[in-house]
Amino acid sequence: MSLISIFIIGIGLAMDAFAASICKGLQDKEDSSEIAAQIALSFGLFQGLMPVLGFFLASSFATYIKQIDHWVAFILLLIIGISMLKESREAYCQVDYGIDLKSLMLLSLATSIDACAVGISFAFLAVNIYRAAIIIAIITCLLSFMGYKIGNRLGLKSKQNAEFAGGLILILMGSKILIEHLFFGA
């Protein structure tokens, strides 16, 4: 898988964290770079670790389903993408001012579950999982920081657009993987 594809998937995966960061920015009365950095680092860390976890879980059975691996990757990305599209229509932010460590960890875990599923699909593709995880973590970290700042200034519509864009990106990348394997033998 190319670096550009990993970068695009990283952006798609980061959209959940970006949207959650927007919510946190909406809730914060003052523009705190310290809170933005904490959120960004936590989301980035989890988004980077979860694909590695999914990759190693799936690697143990990847050889058994090599003939349909492109379908598995496509279906996983399609399901995640459709879920994000649905969430974009139902976007809301639960107001709870401030953020404690436990809440931040739970939110980071919740927004990174999709990254674990993508890690599973990576096990069936030619992916350097460590490079992919680092790229995903950095993208998530940067977008989460920006999301907090945007949320602090703009509002809920930004969250809806982020969720929609992320879902669309993942569906398109899943389709690309399927088309490459079916028609070009990649």
Side-chain angles (χ1 to χ4, degrees), residues 13 16 47 80 83-84 87 110-119 170:
L13 285 175
D16 267 352
Q47 288 282 39
I80 296 165
S83 174
M84 288 178 75
E87 288 174 17
T111 59
S112 66
I113 298 298
D114 296 348
C116 185
V118 169
L170 293 178

Side-chain angles (χ1 to χ4, degrees), residues 6 24 59 79 84 86 96 107 132 135 139 145-147 150 152 156:
I6 293 170
K24 283 303 180 190
S59 290
I79 290 169
M84 288 178 75
K86 286 180 183 176
D96 53 347
L107 190 56
I135 291 169
I139 290 169
F145 189 87
M146 289 176 8
I150 290 169
N152 198 256
L156 187 59

Side-chain angles (χ1 to χ4, degrees), residues 43-57:
F43 285 168
L45 177 68
F46 275 79
Q47 288 282 39
L49 290 176
M50 292 302 268
V52 175
L53 176 65
F55 181 88
F56 285 112
L57 287 173

